[in-house]
Amino acid sequence: MAVSECGAATVSSSTHHLIHHAIHPNPHLAYRADIDGLRAVAVLAVVIFHAFPALLPGGFIGVDIFFVISGYLISSIIFKALSSGEFSFADFYARRVRRIFPSLLLVIVCTLLLGWASLLPDEYAQLGKHALGGLGFAANIVFWSEAGYFDVAAELKPLLHLWSLGIEEQFYIFWPLIAVLTWRLGRRFWMVLVGLAVLSFCTNVVFTPHAAEASFFLLPTRAWELLAGALLAYRLHRHGPVFAAGTPAAARAAFGGLGVIIAGLCLIDSQRAFPGWWALLPVGGAVLVIAAGEAALPNRAVLARRWMVGIGRISFPLYLWHWPLLSMARIIGKGESKSVIVGAVALAFVCAWVSWRVVETPVRRRGHARTVVVLIVLALLCTLGASNVMWRDGLGFRVKNAQAKKDTLVLAWGDEQLGLNKDCSAWLPGEVVVNCLIADPERPPTAALLGDSHANHLYWGLSRPLLAAGVNLLQLADNACPPLYGVFLNWEKGEKGNTCMTMTNAAIDRVSADPQIDTVFLGGRWVTAILGDELRFPGSPVKYRLELPARPESAGWTRSEIVAAGLNDTLARLTAAGKKVVFLHGVPELPFIARECIAWSPNRFVNRIHHPDCLVARSVIDERNAGFRPVLEQVLARYPQVVVVDPMTLMCDEHACYGRHDGTLLYRDDDHLSLDGSYWLGEQILAVLPPLGRKR
């Protein structure tokens, strides 16, 4: 969240004195209650979105409003100090420390303590990592680096919201220096401001369709939002108010700004390519509201109301508190209860008020250098604690139960298991994105496993016993890329582009042309490719469409028809090349994540087993199968030579499909096998396979 000096304030002419009025800590800029009211709009939008996403799908744009407010207020401070020749980097950053650190440190410490009492080791280790990112104002970079296919769901990241604080503080590392160096340009200084804002905005527009995650999390594509506030601050600094106080023009601007913000809240949702052009709505709306002035009718009649101002004053600690409390409620397992969510939000308000009254305000009033030193020392101690949590793998000694300890270990599936960061140039051209693994790197492959992550999670269970039988298995896979020849995955937010089709086509062509590769395994999450959703999230469509670029006539085809065509082309090419093909059906999906099967009660307040049976009813799986299996079976019927393996026959009975077998947790989430699950299922599969003509 973009956060600025509480009370819309600027710096004092003296670096050692602060006025003691709680709502007006900086006398150089007149306090504007309407800006606190605008803060309230922003933070309430974010809190409602996080608590009840369906109620306000565009609530996350409150962060963009905060960016504008922050850019306006902090730049006003900088410009006022520069014009009077009193700007001091030491004073500027000391004020940032006093403003940010008190509530931030309190929330991070409390979250780490809550994590100690409720998180499994892998969750706690990740929390330690995120705490370090937050303390180093690099959380946005950390979360961007994690935003991959196997990333933990947002609700399992109690410090996820610190990404926005990272953007803001990174901005304030560079912006004061740029302002100081270019202020001497005089009236041409605005050209620097406009140039930087336009460059950032254009970067945002260009990259959002193709790299949505980077555009969302990183400073270069977000800086224009803070610079929009800075531009307004400079305009007011040089030329005074944009609108005469209380005039109809000012009222129209304020009404227009609020209307644009409301439009953004209603029209924008998580399916939009954001920020992109859409971010103009919250940013433009916030600029109009601030430019209208505090005397504009809606500003003084709505935003300046006492209760709005009260929420605005605690907006920073409220933002910091609300998400960890909601996240912990969901992790512990009560988060689907509306009463629990409402309780978590209410507790966030209480914690925010206490933080503001007992921690923030007293610290802000103390302008002594030793206050800053104490805060920095506390931050360093907190950093040491978070580092200890991360580097000691989440302090696994907290888990005393032997079965729970065993289960927590099988949840991990890192880059090594995926085959990431490998040199795959021996198998495919260097420009092709692929996750490659081979059982024996010193020998050529004699079998290949192609597909997506549902191929990858079987690699480990198949590769070892196959190697013992003389078969050297090569994996060529990429996450979310089913082995469908010629099929383009059109991602709504541009995450993968056409890398799936490029990889899949290249992999199939490569193994088809290799005479030493005798057998080809095909694995994919067929149910999602065809139905376009997941059992755990019914009614939430996946974020890609399927297309066949080489077949113009396919423009109106359904997902089923495109999958059937792509699978047929895959099988036709492989069988024509004389390969023995083993088609692997997907494992049954779970309507929950596997960690909810782990029996762990760290204390009398927390019980981390919500699905002790760890199963899904067979009727549920059969209903899902009826929607997509006939599509696959129709294609497979054309190729009787293809061996078909169905994990359902190994993992289910007539009553249910099981996520645990003989004490082994088979899954690591809702649809991927754990490492132990892969070993177990691999043995079962190889036991039922007919002879494959394996080469020695």
Side-chain angles (χ1 to χ4, degrees):
M1 182 190 79
V3 185
S4 54
E5 296 289 332
C6 185
T10 79
V11 293
S12 166
S13 59
S14 169
T15 60
H16 300 291
H17 295 87
L18 290 173
I19 190 167
H20 292 296
H21 197 290
I23 64 170
H24 187 191
N26 298 293
H28 270 172
L29 208 70
Y31 171 69
R32 284 184 55 176
D34 61 313
I35 291 183
D36 269 336
L38 187 59
R39 281 198 184 101
V41 171
V43 77
L44 288 175
V46 173
V47 171
I48 292 171
F49 170 72
H50 285 157
F52 301 102
L55 190 60
L56 196 63
F60 59 87
I61 68 171
V63 171
D64 304 83
I65 298 172
F66 274 114
F67 282 156
V68 176
I69 295 172
S70 180
Y72 167 73
L73 294 173
I74 301 302
S75 295
S76 296
I77 294 172
I78 295 172
F79 299 155
K80 180 70 83 171
L82 286 173
S83 64
S84 63
E86 297 176 353
F87 181 81
S88 163
F89 283 103
D91 180 64
F92 177 83
Y93 289 115
R95 290 182 181 277
R96 295 306 295 164
V97 168
R98 289 198 300 271
R99 176 67 186 100
I100 299 297
F101 276 32
S103 286
L104 177 64
L105 293 178
L106 179 62
V107 169
I108 288 179
V109 169
C110 289
T111 304
L112 287 170
L113 292 175
L114 286 172
W116 169 280
S118 60
L119 297 184
L120 295 169
D122 67 313
E123 298 166 344
Y124 200 37
Q126 181 175 247
L127 180 64
K129 175 184 175 184
H130 295 166
L132 288 175
L135 290 163
F137 300 118
N140 57 321
I141 298 173
V142 172
F143 291 118
W144 167 63
S145 70
E146 293 179 351
Y149 185 72
F150 286 108
D151 184 26
V152 176
E155 62 267 21
L156 300 183
K157 294 183 174 183
L159 295 177
L160 176 63
H161 62 324
L162 297 186
W163 71 268
S164 56
L165 192 61
I167 285 179
E168 182 179 337
E169 295 312 310
Q170 289 162 22
F171 179 80
Y172 291 125
I173 291 174
F174 299 105
W175 175 229
L177 179 61
I178 293 172
V180 168
L181 293 176
T182 57
W183 187 255
R184 67 190 65 182
L185 295 174
R187 294 181 180 273
R188 290 179 294 173
F189 176 76
W190 70 270
M191 298 174 64
V192 175
L193 265 174
V194 172
L196 291 172
V198 169
L199 178 62
S200 174
F201 179 74
C202 291
T203 303
N204 151 60
V205 170
V206 169
F207 280 92
T208 294
H210 308 290
E213 290 160 350
S215 293
F216 189 89
F217 281 115
L218 300 184
L219 176 62
T221 50
R222 290 287 197 160
W224 68 275
E225 301 183 30
L226 292 111
L227 289 168
L231 276 165
L232 177 59
Y234 187 69
R235 165 62 176 77
L236 297 179
H237 175 77
R238 294 290 300 184
H239 304 290
V242 179
F243 303 97
T247 60
R252 287 193 294 270
F255 276 120
L258 291 174
V260 170
I261 289 173
I262 292 172
L265 293 171
C266 296
L267 297 176
I268 299 172
D269 58 33
S270 59
Q271 300 303 311
R272 304 289 185 185
F274 194 86
W277 291 97
W278 287 103
L280 285 172
L281 294 178
V283 172
V287 169
L288 280 174
V289 170
I290 298 172
E294 62 183 329
L297 178 60
N299 290 18
R300 71 173 188 267
V302 179
L303 297 181
R305 295 187 72 86
R306 186 172 182 177
W307 69 272
M308 291 284 284
V309 172
I311 294 175
R313 290 178 188 172
I314 65 168
S315 59
F316 179 41
L318 177 57
Y319 180 84
L320 291 179
W321 278 110
H322 85 282
W323 181 247
L325 293 174
L326 286 171
S327 177
M328 286 296 182
R330 287 165 174 147
I331 290 171
I332 293 172
K334 306 292 186 180
E336 300 307 316
S337 166
K338 290 184 179 179
S339 61
V340 171
I341 293 177
V342 170
V345 171
L347 181 59
F349 272 89
V350 172
C351 292
W353 185 87
V354 171
S355 298
W356 173 76
R357 187 60 180 258
V358 178
V359 179
E360 279 192 11
T361 301
V363 170
R364 248 193 348 264
R365 289 175 174 175
R366 295 184 178 93
H368 305 296
R370 63 174 174 270
T371 302
V372 176
V373 173
V374 169
L375 288 171
I376 292 174
V377 170
L378 290 175
L380 291 174
L381 292 175
C382 191
T383 299
L384 290 175
S387 300
N388 182 56
V389 171
M390 183 181 72
W391 292 114
R392 294 178 64 189
D393 297 323
L395 308 181
F397 62 82
R398 297 174 300 117
V399 182
K400 306 300 183 183
N401 180 278
Q403 182 63 49
K405 188 181 290 288
K406 174 185 175 184
D407 288 343
T408 60
L409 296 176
V410 307
L411 295 173
W413 196 277
D415 291 354
E416 186 66 26
Q417 281 74 42
L418 286 170
L420 289 174
N421 306 318
K422 299 284 186 180
D423 180 5
C424 304
S425 58
W427 321 116
L428 295 178
E431 67 273 10
V432 177
V433 177
V434 64
N435 301 336
C436 62
L437 290 164
I438 188 166
D440 184 354
E442 303 302 320
R443 295 167 45 199
T446 56
L449 174 63
L450 310 182
D452 56 18
S453 59
H454 282 239
N456 167 258
H457 73 178
L458 280 169
Y459 169 83
W460 297 95
L462 294 173
S463 59
R464 294 198 307 185
L466 282 176
L467 187 62
V471 178
N472 194 23
L473 182 65
L474 167 70
Q475 171 197 287
L476 298 175
D478 196 10
N479 303 327
C481 297
L484 303 171
Y485 198 91
V487 174
F488 178 87
L489 273 68
N490 189 342
W491 288 78
E492 293 178 0
K493 294 187 177 181
E495 283 94 339
K496 296 184 74 67
N498 65 351
T499 57
C500 278
M501 186 175 72
T502 302
M503 185 281 296
T504 299
N505 291 358
I508 293 172
D509 290 341
R510 169 67 172 78
V511 301
S512 296
D514 191 334
Q516 296 189 81
I517 295 178
D518 180 76
T519 302
V520 179
F521 294 85
L522 299 177
R525 194 175 185 182
W526 312 107
V527 56
T528 299
I530 295 172
L531 297 183
D533 65 3
E534 305 176 29
L535 180 60
R536 187 179 165 216
F537 303 107
S540 297
V542 293
K543 299 176 182 179
Y544 63 84
R545 301 188 307 276
L546 301 179
E547 300 174 4
L548 283 168
R551 300 190 186 186
E553 71 276 12
S554 67
W557 287 9
T558 64
R559 296 181 74 97
S560 297
E561 292 171 321
I562 293 175
V563 170
L567 179 59
N568 184 73
D569 286 354
T570 297
L571 295 177
R573 290 172 182 272
L574 292 173
T575 55
K579 307 302 178 184
K580 295 181 176 65
V581 180
V582 179
F583 180 87
L584 301 167
H585 275 293
V587 299
E589 300 169 288
L590 300 176
F592 50 82
I593 53 177
R595 65 183 65 243
E596 295 180 8
C597 301
I598 298 176
W600 185 46
S601 297
N603 53 66
R604 62 192 181 95
F605 302 105
V606 177
N607 180 2
R608 286 297 301 267
I609 181 167
H610 310 297
H611 296 279
D613 295 331
C614 204
L615 58 81
V616 55
R618 179 63 185 264
S619 59
V620 173
I621 299 300
D622 288 343
E623 182 179 356
R624 292 278 285 175
N625 288 347
F628 79 95
R629 285 281 183 112
V631 176
L632 302 176
E633 291 166 356
Q634 185 178 17
V635 177
L636 292 169
R638 302 174 196 154
Y639 301 91
Q641 69 271 44
V642 172
V643 176
V644 179
V645 175
D646 188 357
M648 271 190 59
T649 62
L650 305 169
M651 303 174 73
C652 308
D653 57 26
E654 65 273 19
H655 303 295
C657 296
Y658 300 92
R660 188 185 293 278
H661 180 82
D662 291 340
T664 297
L665 191 60
L666 301 180
Y667 290 78
R668 67 179 186 272
D669 51 30
D670 60 316
D671 63 283
H672 293 96
L673 295 172
S674 66
L675 200 56
D676 285 354
S678 178
Y679 293 144
W680 177 85
L681 187 57
E683 291 179 2
Q684 312 306 311
I685 289 174
L686 293 177
V688 300
L689 279 181
L692 298 177
R694 300 167 185 165
K695 296 182 178 181
R696 296 181 179 273

